[in-house]
Amino acid sequence: MRLQERFIVISTDSTHFVINLEKILLDKNIKCRVIPLPVEISANCGLAVKLDENDLEEAKKIILENNFLVNVALVEKNGLKKNIQKLEIGGKKVVE
């Protein structure tokens, strides 16, 4: 049986910011959790926020409203294989 999963990963350079972002998203009723940052995305602070791809639009609004500088990626897992696609917010790539 192969595990198939799609989710959004939001990361930045600061562990403190990742933890605060999780709190902000949870306060807005967006289910999320802090996870280890997949090395395929970046070697930034080592942590990221994981959320369901259906919550991406609401998360984008929060990111843009607050001028957060983040990396956003769509992760597709099929068994042990990962496909990672970096996403843009507001018509521009977010800070990498």
Side-chain angles (χ1 to χ4, degrees):
M1 176 165 90
R2 292 185 131 194
L3 177 65
Q4 294 182 336
E5 185 180 14
R6 287 173 54 106
F7 55 89
I8 300 298
V9 172
I10 302 173
S11 65
T12 188
D13 293 336
S14 165
T15 300
H16 179 72
F17 176 82
V18 169
I19 292 167
N20 283 337
L21 178 60
E22 178 194 35
K23 181 182 180 323
I24 291 167
L25 294 173
L26 289 171
D27 287 346
K28 298 285 187 176
N29 295 317
I30 297 173
K31 288 185 179 182
C32 64
R33 65 185 174 112
V34 173
I35 63 167
L37 178 63
V39 295
E40 299 91 347
I41 294 175
S42 175
N44 280 345
C45 76
L47 295 178
V49 175
K50 175 182 176 180
L51 57 122
D52 188 275
E53 69 178 316
N54 295 325
D55 293 322
L56 177 59
E57 289 307 314
E58 189 62 32
K60 278 184 182 181
K61 288 178 191 174
I62 293 166
I63 290 166
L64 291 171
E65 286 171 2
N66 293 284
N67 294 315
F68 292 149
L69 299 177
V70 296
N71 295 315
V72 181
L74 171 65
V75 178
E76 296 175 319
K77 288 176 72 176
N78 187 0
L80 297 175
K81 294 184 180 182
K82 288 183 192 171
N83 181 27
I84 297 173
Q85 176 185 357
K86 291 190 178 181
L87 304 177
E88 295 181 3
I89 295 181
K92 61 182 175 136
K93 272 218 169 196
V94 291
V95 173
E96 293 186 18

